[in-house]
């Protein structure tokens, strides 16, 4: 369950997609499907299934919180620009309540 | 349906309608401006703020169109005089946009074609010269993923209008490899298609004998996952306007939900299209058309997708509303009978959704003309019972990507305002709009002078490195190149001498080592962007979305 695609900022309480991860990936992200219940108010901790990443060859991997990212979700990004995940600036994945 | 397109009545916004069509559209625009708000969205469709949670069902593709690569160094032709431009908004385009536009297009293809396949929806060329095709393909080769295209009215027809005035067409393509008829275009495209890094394209290249046969209906039989699944073409060298090329791309992501995109050729005509469309003749810029032979194959392919329970998306250059009556009568049943979800078109240069009729349509804007934009395209499934299909198609505006975001890496250009030509400069991007010469040689002389001045600006902004050893004839330093440019801009210098120097400068600039390669690249990209901006209105204006304006202290 890879979590190295995300980075967490304790200052902003935001988890963001790491462009370098997606640049190095051979495939192209077709969709990031948030898991059932991952929305405002949900409590997450290490190992929680956040989402499923669907790649262009049809394969899927599970996205889990990066180190330090645990708490109650304030918002999830549901307008992700998959086309530029491999480019800076990093896009927001989710924000936790402080 | 056209009301949506026509309602933006700015000087440069008429789109890719060619000579006669632009005149007609201009008149129509003036007549209806302010009256048409566009058709309301049908209640069958719903727009969403957020992406639904359901699974994706198609591979994502990048949609590009209407870059209209232009050969700058041909002989003067009346269709490109300043006088004509007075009546037809885009008879002439800012020469910096023609010169540097391919750089800009290459940037889009390299960045967005790094992860996703690209579909070009036509009008890759402008006059339809062989050199334009070579420049276009050179840019498309910067894509890491495969690319495909549906021909537009500029791809094989003179200035996008038709097949006429062959001598003048040859003059316009002088020093540009000669005219490319529709038959030539299809042959050249197929040769490039064979090179694509896609199992379908490789199988096609292996199956098709050389020289390329005049007619073929080919289908991929391999087991490896491929985008290209079918190609059919007819190359009619006697009547090139009857030639066609159609392709079927497999965009399936999940085996249980097959998706096909069929790229139509909407520039196939019974009779040679002409500038003035007196019936039964058409103007290719005004009217799209598919003949029975192409439609028969499309119908057969769609029956196949229906048997597979696949979703089909049709893509073609002309908007549905500008297809001729017989074509629409023939394609209307397809919508009802063959699970066609959507028609994706281009041609207008403006881009829009048209969701008011039985034929829902997504129109893709120009990748070079302002507002420089392109889209991606994918299908997904909404959760719930019964599930619906949603289209995800974000629009990317280059101005926003570059100007409203700080450059995030060396990949993004930095536009130094000192590089920008001002209205009093000899290379001001739209200086040509203040003239109205009837003689195209006079117009071309002014345009070539602007180009020479632009090269001067480029050399000063991005000088050659001390180690550079590539120089144009009769020069061995930037100083000597600048001296040649200054001498050539004199009015007494013949047009052909200016053109010859410009061709030398083009070769020099492509090969030379600049002291700062990023500044060299960025100058070209930023000049294309500024030229595109000014060309839209035919003037430098302060746009509502400007962030910073400098005021002089002394008045």
């Amino acid at each position: 369950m890879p979590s190295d695609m995300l980075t967490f900022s304790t200052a902003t309480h935001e988890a963001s997609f790491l462009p370098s991860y997606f640049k190095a990936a051979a495939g192209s992200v077709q969709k990031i499907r948030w898991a059932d219940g991952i929305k405002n108010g949900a409590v997450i901790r290490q190992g929680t299934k956040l989402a499923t990443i669907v790649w262009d060859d049809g394969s899927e991997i599970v996205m889990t919180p990066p180190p330090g990212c645990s708490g109650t979700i304030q918002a999830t990004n549901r307008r992700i620009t998959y086309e530029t995940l491999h480019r800076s600036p990093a896009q927001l994945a989710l924000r936790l309540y402080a | 349906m056209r009301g949506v397109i026509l309602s933006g009545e700015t000087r440069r916004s008429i789109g890719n309608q060619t000579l006669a069509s632009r005149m007609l559209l201009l008149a129509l625009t003036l007549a209806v401006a302010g009256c048409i708000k566009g058709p309301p969205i049908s209640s069958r469709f719903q727009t969403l703020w957020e992406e639904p949670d359901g699974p994706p069902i198609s591979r994502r593709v990048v949609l590009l169109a209407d870059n209209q690569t232009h050969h700058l160094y041909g002989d003067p032709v009346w269709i490109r005089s300043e006088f004509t431009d007075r009546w037809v908004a885009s008879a002439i385009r800012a020469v910096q946009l023609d010169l540097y536009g391919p750089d800009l297009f290459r940037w889009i293809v390299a960045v967005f074609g790094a992860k996703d396949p690209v579909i070009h929806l036509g009008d890759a060329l402008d006059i339809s010269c062989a050199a334009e095709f070579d420049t276009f393909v050179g840019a498309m080769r910067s894509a890491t993923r495969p690319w495909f295209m549906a021909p537009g009215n500029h791809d094989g027809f003179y200035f996008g209008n038709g097949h006429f005035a062959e001598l003048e067409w040859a003059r316009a393509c002088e020093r540009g490899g000669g005219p490319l008829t529709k038959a030539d275009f299809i042959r050249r495209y197929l040769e490039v298609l064979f090179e694509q890094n896609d199992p379908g394209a490789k199988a096609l290249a292996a199956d098709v004998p050389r020289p390329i046969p005049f007619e073929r209906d080919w289908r991929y039989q391999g087991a490896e996952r491929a985008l290209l699944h079918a190609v059919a073409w007819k190359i009619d060298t006697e009547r090139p306007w009857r030639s066609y090329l159609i392709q079927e791309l497999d965009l399936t992501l999940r085996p249980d939900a097959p998706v096909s995109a069929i790229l139509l050729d909407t520039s196939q005509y019974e009779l040679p299209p002409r500038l003035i469309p007196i019936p039964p003749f058409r103007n290719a810029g005004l009217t799209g058309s598919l003949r029975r032979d192409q439609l028969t194959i499309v119908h057969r392919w769609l029956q196949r997708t229906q048997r597979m329970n696949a979703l089909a998306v049709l893509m073609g250059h002309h908007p549905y509303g500008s297809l001729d009556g017989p074509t629409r009568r023939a394609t209307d049943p397809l919508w009802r009978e063959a699970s066609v979800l959507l028609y994706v078109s281009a041609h207008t240069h403006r881009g829009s959704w048209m969701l008011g009729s039985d034929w829902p349509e997504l129109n893709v804007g120009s990748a070079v003309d302002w507002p420089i934009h392109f889209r991606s395209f994918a299908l997904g499934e909404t959760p719930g019972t019964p599930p619906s299909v949603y289209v995800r198609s974000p629009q990317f505006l280059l101005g926003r990507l570059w100007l409203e975001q700080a450059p995030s890496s060396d990949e993004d250009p930095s536009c130094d305002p000192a590089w920008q030509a001002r209205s009093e400069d000899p290379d001001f991007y739209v200086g040509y709009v203040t003239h109205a010469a009837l003689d195209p040689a006079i117009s071309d002389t002014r345009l070539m002078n602007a180009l020479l001045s632009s090269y001067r600006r480029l050399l000063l902004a991005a000088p050659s490195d001390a180690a550079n050893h590539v120089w144009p004839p009769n020069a061995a330093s930037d100083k000597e190149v600048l001296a040649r440019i200054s001498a050539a801009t004199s009015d007494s210098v013949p047009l052909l001498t200016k053109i010859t120097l410009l061709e030398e400068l083009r070769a020099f600039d492509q090969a030379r080592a600049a002291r700062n390669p990023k500044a060299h690249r960025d100058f070209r990209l930023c000049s294309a962007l500024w030229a595109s901006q000014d060309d839209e209105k035919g003037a430098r204006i302060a746009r509502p979305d400007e962030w910073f304006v400098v005021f002089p202290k002394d008045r």
Side-chain angles (χ1 to χ4, degrees):
Chain A
M1 290 192 289
S3 59
D4 54 349
M5 64 191 66
L6 293 173
T7 181
F8 183 70
S9 163
T10 52
T12 61
H13 309 281
E14 289 177 349
S16 302
F17 296 105
L18 264 173
S20 55
Y21 173 88
F22 295 99
K23 192 164 191 170
S28 163
V29 175
Q30 300 299 295
K31 182 160 184 175
I32 295 176
R33 294 183 67 193
W34 293 102
D36 287 346
I38 297 298
K39 57 187 179 185
N40 186 7
V43 176
I44 61 168
R45 56 182 63 86
Q46 292 302 293
T48 301
K49 178 181 173 181
L50 294 178
T52 303
I53 298 188
V54 184
W55 297 91
D56 55 348
D57 62 359
S59 65
E60 298 182 355
I61 58 172
V62 170
M63 186 172 90
T64 56
C69 179
S70 59
T72 306
I73 293 176
Q74 186 185 31
T76 52
N77 183 0
R78 288 164 191 269
R79 283 175 70 98
I80 300 166
T81 311
Y82 307 122
E83 295 81 353
T84 55
L85 276 174
H86 63 292
R87 303 187 74 230
S88 294
Q91 294 181 51
L92 177 76
L94 60 84
R95 184 184 301 115
L96 300 179
Y97 281 106
Chain B
M1 197 57 71
R2 301 289 291 173
V4 176
I5 300 158
L6 291 175
S7 58
E9 69 282 4
T10 57
R11 183 177 184 279
R12 295 276 146 187
S13 68
I14 299 168
N16 181 35
Q17 322 311 315
T18 46
L19 193 65
S21 55
R22 284 178 189 132
M23 287 170 141
L24 187 59
L25 285 175
L26 183 66
L28 283 171
T29 302
L30 293 172
V32 301
C35 302
I36 293 177
K37 291 178 180 172
I41 184 171
S42 161
S43 59
R44 293 172 50 223
F45 308 106
Q46 185 187 2
T47 58
L48 298 173
W49 178 249
E50 294 182 337
E51 185 171 22
D53 280 334
I57 54 174
S58 83
R59 293 179 72 172
R60 184 174 55 249
V61 291
V62 177
L63 300 176
L64 297 173
D66 292 290
N67 51 298
Q68 289 184 223
T69 310
H70 180 82
H71 171 57
L72 277 160
Y73 310 115
D75 286 347
V77 287
W78 73 268
I79 207 167
R80 234 174 92 79
S81 74
E82 292 157 347
F83 180 78
T84 312
D85 192 66
R86 283 286 170 106
W87 298 94
V88 183
S90 44
I92 298 175
R93 203 159 63 163
V95 282
Q96 290 89 343
L97 187 54
D98 289 331
L99 181 63
Y100 304 128
D103 297 61
L104 192 147
F105 186 69
R106 182 189 304 269
W107 186 92
I108 296 170
V109 171
V111 172
F112 284 81
K115 291 286 184 185
D116 296 313
V118 177
I119 297 177
H120 191 290
L121 290 170
D123 281 6
L125 318 185
D126 191 25
I127 306 168
S128 199
C129 306
E132 293 175 341
F133 185 85
D134 294 339
T135 303
F136 164 69
V137 170
M140 292 305 294
R141 282 190 175 128
S142 62
T144 312
R145 302 296 169 109
W147 64 272
F148 307 90
M149 81 170 287
N153 55 298
H154 280 260
D155 306 321
F157 296 99
Y158 182 43
F159 269 110
N161 288 288
H163 192 111
F164 61 98
E166 288 175 344
L167 284 176
E168 185 172 280
W169 191 355
R171 281 202 299 274
C173 291
E174 189 71 39
R175 295 170 288 280
L180 217 57
T181 67
K182 183 65 183 292
D184 300 330
F185 179 87
I186 291 173
R187 200 182 293 278
R188 300 273 319 255
Y189 172 75
L190 286 168
E191 286 165 358
V192 176
L193 184 62
F194 296 155
E195 300 171 7
Q196 296 290 324
N197 186 22
D198 173 72
K202 287 178 180 171
L204 174 72
D207 288 352
V208 173
R210 309 296 194 279
I212 295 169
F214 291 107
E215 201 163 358
R216 195 75 189 250
D217 181 0
W218 175 91
R219 183 161 286 278
Y220 179 58
Q221 304 294 340
E224 204 176 344
R225 194 161 174 260
L227 280 163
L228 187 68
H229 263 231
V231 191
W233 69 83
K234 182 177 178 184
I235 298 171
D236 188 335
T237 51
E238 295 295 313
R239 291 166 296 188
W241 49 90
R242 291 191 177 183
S243 306
Y244 70 85
L245 167 84
I246 46 175
Q247 297 147 94
E248 183 181 336
L249 305 182
D250 181 14
L251 302 185
T252 302
L253 189 64
R254 288 178 5 217
D256 62 319
V259 180
S260 273
I262 296 177
L263 312 189
L264 306 173
D265 185 341
T266 61
S267 301
Q268 188 202 12
Y269 300 92
E270 185 73 25
L271 298 169
R274 294 190 173 173
L275 185 62
I276 308 298
I278 298 169
F281 295 97
R282 310 278 190 204
N283 176 294
L286 195 61
T287 308
S289 163
L290 286 77
R291 294 183 69 242
R292 189 180 297 275
D293 49 1
Q294 181 184 174
L295 282 164
T296 301
I297 294 175
V298 172
H299 196 212
R300 195 163 67 238
W301 287 4
L302 282 172
Q303 285 175 330
R304 188 174 179 279
T305 60
Q306 201 177 13
R307 282 197 303 275
M308 295 168 60
N309 206 20
L311 272 176
V313 177
L314 296 182
M315 299 187 179
H317 180 70
H318 289 83
Y320 179 74
S322 65
L323 297 176
D324 65 10
T327 302
R328 278 190 279 178
R329 282 193 291 279
T331 49
D332 273 347
L334 303 179
W335 165 250
R336 288 184 287 275
E337 295 166 12
S339 304
V340 175
L341 182 76
L342 180 74
Y343 178 55
V344 183
S345 63
H347 192 63
T348 66
H349 288 218
R350 296 194 60 77
S352 60
W353 281 99
M354 297 181 243
L355 300 175
S357 74
D358 277 349
W359 271 98
E361 184 169 348
L362 170 62
N363 187 266
V364 179
S366 168
V368 168
D369 287 335
W370 197 262
I372 303 161
H373 57 291
F374 51 97
R375 316 186 75 106
S376 70
F377 178 86
L379 302 177
E381 208 169 77
T382 60
T385 311
S388 300
V389 171
Y390 73 90
V391 177
R392 178 185 177 279
S393 183
Q395 184 187 56
F396 297 95
L397 297 168
L398 203 69
R400 194 166 292 168
L401 283 170
W402 286 359
L403 301 181
E404 294 185 11
Q405 287 181 9
S408 55
S409 71
D410 277 355
E411 203 173 55
D412 294 343
S414 302
C415 294
D416 182 342
W419 297 342
Q420 191 173 19
R422 294 173 176 232
S423 56
E424 63 272 21
D425 292 337
D427 56 342
F428 180 48
Y429 311 115
V430 288
Y432 66 88
V433 302
T434 57
H435 303 287
L438 200 57
D439 181 352
I442 295 173
S443 305
D444 260 15
T445 300
R446 272 195 276 263
L447 294 173
M448 295 305 114
N449 279 343
L451 265 185
L452 287 165
S453 298
S454 183
Y455 270 114
R456 180 179 181 280
R457 186 181 294 275
L458 169 58
L459 264 184
L460 294 173
S464 303
D465 190 74
N468 176 56
H469 61 277
V470 178
W471 301 103
N474 305 318
S477 67
D478 281 359
K479 193 176 169 187
E480 290 177 6
V481 177
L482 289 167
R484 283 200 66 197
I485 290 172
S486 290
T489 49
S490 164
D491 284 343
S492 61
V493 173
L495 176 60
L496 189 57
T497 306
K498 295 175 193 286
I499 290 174
T500 304
L501 176 58
L502 282 165
E503 289 189 293
E504 291 168 3
L505 289 171
R506 181 182 54 178
F508 160 63
D509 196 53
Q510 280 172 353
R512 76 186 174 107
R515 197 179 301 160
N516 181 345
K518 184 172 187 303
H520 183 208
R521 185 206 66 161
D522 289 359
F523 177 95
R524 297 178 65 98
L525 290 172
C526 299
S527 296
L529 183 111
W530 288 322
S532 179
Q533 260 184 339
D534 289 357
D535 205 58
E536 189 206 9
K537 304 283 186 193
R540 170 80 40 85
I541 64 154
R543 294 166 188 280
D545 58 355
E546 301 286 359
W547 280 33
F548 309 107
V549 178
V550 177
F551 285 75
K553 273 187 176 175
D554 51 332
R555 299 190 177 185

